[in-house]
Amino acid sequence: MKIAAICCTYKRPTLLAEAIECFVRQDYPAELRELIVLDDAGQYGNQRGEGWRVVSLPLRFRTLGEKRNASAALVSADVDAYCVWDDDDIYLPWHLSAAATALAAADYTIPTVIYSDKRNRLERKGNQYLFHGAWAFRREAFDRVCGYPFMQSGQDQGLLRRFKDAKLRRADPIQHDPRPSYVYRWYTAHSHHISALGKDGYERLGRIAAGRAATITPRWSQDWLALHAAASPAQTEESHEHSSAQ
């Protein structure tokens, strides 16, 4: 199964470098994965790296739903599945492998356990239908429901409703690999979260100036694998999601 990680980014060059590094470190076969980064702040020149490429446009999409659909439309023709790849979150090296295993007998995946970044440690969180950055789905299923609805807040739950209405099969990657692979981050420097900007956050963010970014050099800001190793599996909370994609 070939998987495309689809990443929507906006005015987050430092965090994007970490998201790309997460992709480079994936243990899934290199020939069976690719990363498409779609920027609509006109902040970068189009760039390529080890299985990844950045497409930068000077005009912003009307809604995040439309932007996510556009990112999916940019993948290679032979891609079988999509994996959401939020630009400000962390994906540990087995994330794509766990998703691919779960998708072997399902149409979409949502993990029941994820990590939440607490600045100097990772905390396990229980999850049911939230944390869209951790989802994956078959291309056929995505096409069947006509992708994301054209909306900003709630486009992820809108896609889920379409999956449910079509009676598509859900799988849990945690049942195949008990290690959480997705790290949700709220405490990030030089980052603007839409949910923290209020109801019109998407529009307000568009008015924040963005300078031209230099060539992206993938790198991690800290040792996320060490934080994973130190996380206690006994600490699992109920989840409360904040939308962070842009």
Side-chain angles (χ1 to χ4, degrees), residues 115 117 119-122 222-231:
Y115 279 132
D117 177 28
R119 288 198 174 106
N120 59 354
R121 63 183 177 87
L122 300 182
Q222 56 185 312
D223 190 342
W224 295 102
L225 287 175
L227 292 176
H228 156 72

Side-chain angles (χ1 to χ4, degrees), residues 20-40:
I20 295 176
E21 178 66 15
C22 288
F23 175 80
V24 172
R25 292 183 182 230
Q26 292 298 300
D27 62 14
Y28 199 63
E31 68 275 12
L32 294 178
R33 58 182 166 99
E34 63 182 53
L35 168 65
I36 301 297
V37 178
L38 179 57
D39 163 61
D40 55 348

Side-chain angles (χ1 to χ4, degrees), residues 11-88:
K11 301 178 182 179
R12 288 172 166 169
T14 301
L15 296 177
L16 179 60
E18 287 205 84
I20 295 176
E21 178 66 15
C22 288
F23 175 80
V24 172
R25 292 183 182 230
Q26 292 298 300
D27 62 14
Y28 199 63
E31 68 275 12
L32 294 178
R33 58 182 166 99
E34 63 182 53
L35 168 65
I36 301 297
V37 178
L38 179 57
D39 163 61
D40 55 348
Q43 196 166 15
Y44 311 96
N46 294 339
Q47 300 176 40
R48 290 179 178 269
E50 300 175 58
W52 59 270
R53 61 189 175 100
V54 176
V55 177
S56 189
L57 305 175
L59 298 175
R60 196 173 193 207
F61 286 89
R62 183 182 59 168
T63 66
L64 181 54
E66 290 164 283
K67 185 175 177 179
R68 288 196 187 278
N69 287 336
S71 67
L74 292 170
V75 308
S76 299
D78 60 345
V79 162
D80 302 299
Y82 302 108
C83 189
V84 180
W85 210 263
D86 280 356
D87 63 348
D88 61 338

Side-chain angles (χ1 to χ4, degrees), residues 27 94-95 97-99 101-102 111 113 172-181 228:
D27 62 14
W94 52 92
H95 186 78
S97 295
T101 300
V113 182
D172 178 12
I174 295 297
Q175 291 185 344
H176 301 277
D177 188 333
R179 299 173 298 172
S181 61
H228 156 72

